[in-house]
Amino acid sequence: MSPQADYATVREAFARFAEAEPEPKGELEHVNAFTLLVAVALSAQATDVGVNKATRGLFAIADTPEKMLELGEEGVTAHIRTIGLYRNKAKNVIKLSRILVDQFGGQVPSSRAALQSLPGVGRKTANVVLSMWWGHPAQAVDTHIFRVGNRTGLCPGRDVDAVERAIEDHVPVEFQRHAHHWLILHGRYICKARKPACGVCLIRDLCAFPDKLQNGVAA
C-alpha cells in the first residue's frame, strides 16, 4: 500500500482526469433508476459486458418493479442465467421489487439506508445508484478503485471502507461527484491488475506505485 499522496498531488491527478473525461459515465446499461439498481445488483462477481447482454432483453419487458413482479422469479432467471449466482440474484430482484412496490410506492429511494435495506443491495451498490442517478458524491469502491487507490497513493486504505473514506477526505469537493467513475475507468483500462499500461498513464509522474512499467519493462 502506497502512502497517502499530498493534497497538491491528489488535486492535480483529478484535474487531469477531469480534463481528459469531463463527464465520465458508468458502463451498465439502464433506462431509469430501477433498471440501474437491478443492473448494479446483478453486476456483483460479473462483468458489465455480461450484465448488459443479459439485461437488454429483461429491461425491454420489465423496466419497473411492477413489471418485474409480473415476470416472476422464473422469468427473471431465464434472462440472467448467463450471470454468476443467477438464481440467488433472481430471487433478490423479485424481493427488492416487492419491497419497492409495497414500501416505496414503486420508486427507488434516494437515501443510502433505504437502498441498503433492499435484498442484494450493499453499500457499494447503493453508492453507485446514489452517484449515477441522484448525483450524490457517493464513492462506490470496487476492486479497480481499491487497486488504483492503493497503488497510486491517491486514496489508499486497508479495506474498501478505508479507501472510501480516503476519497471523501482527500479528493477536492469539485471532483467528488465523478471520482469513483474516473478511478474505475482508470483501473479497468490503464492501471490494470496484471500489466498496468503505465506508458500511457495520465498520472504516471504523480503515481507512487514503485513498479511502474513501460512497454512491459520496469521503468
Side-chain angles (χ1 to χ4, degrees), residues 202-216:
L202 285 174
I203 61 167
R204 184 175 182 228
D205 58 311
L206 305 174
C207 175
F209 185 40
D211 300 320
K212 295 173 189 167
L213 306 176
Q214 183 159 9
N215 298 322

Side-chain angles (χ1 to χ4, degrees), residues 56-179:
R56 284 172 193 143
L58 175 63
F59 294 159
I61 59 174
D63 59 357
T64 67
E66 293 85 357
K67 292 178 183 177
M68 198 68 76
L69 289 172
E70 290 177 8
L71 184 60
E73 185 178 324
E74 288 307 312
V76 174
T77 299
H79 282 279
I80 69 168
R81 63 175 63 253
T82 56
I83 300 175
L85 307 175
Y86 68 90
R87 291 192 183 280
N88 190 55
K89 289 177 179 179
K91 290 179 182 179
N92 283 336
V93 168
I94 293 300
K95 288 178 181 177
L96 72 82
S97 296
R98 172 55 63 193
I99 293 173
L100 288 176
V101 170
D102 291 347
Q103 299 182 22
F104 297 98
Q107 302 299 308
V108 174
S110 59
S111 81
R112 183 183 288 115
L115 286 166
Q116 287 189 249
S117 73
L118 300 171
V121 179
R123 186 179 181 89
K124 185 180 78 171
T125 295
N127 281 350
V128 171
V129 174
L130 290 173
S131 174
M132 288 183 63
W133 191 258
W134 300 108
H136 294 184
Q139 308 305 331
V141 178
D142 69 351
T143 55
H144 294 302
I145 292 180
F146 185 79
R147 179 175 66 254
V148 172
N150 279 294
R151 269 186 182 170
T152 63
L154 294 178
C155 42
R158 296 194 178 278
D159 54 39
V160 294
D161 291 337
V163 171
E164 182 180 335
R165 289 193 298 273
I167 297 172
E168 293 172 345
D169 290 345
H170 298 287
V171 175
V173 172
E174 63 263 40
F175 302 123
Q176 286 278 335
R177 181 180 175 187
H178 294 312

Side-chain angles (χ1 to χ4, degrees), residues 11 28 39 79 105 138 219:
R11 183 178 187 81
L28 286 172
H79 282 279

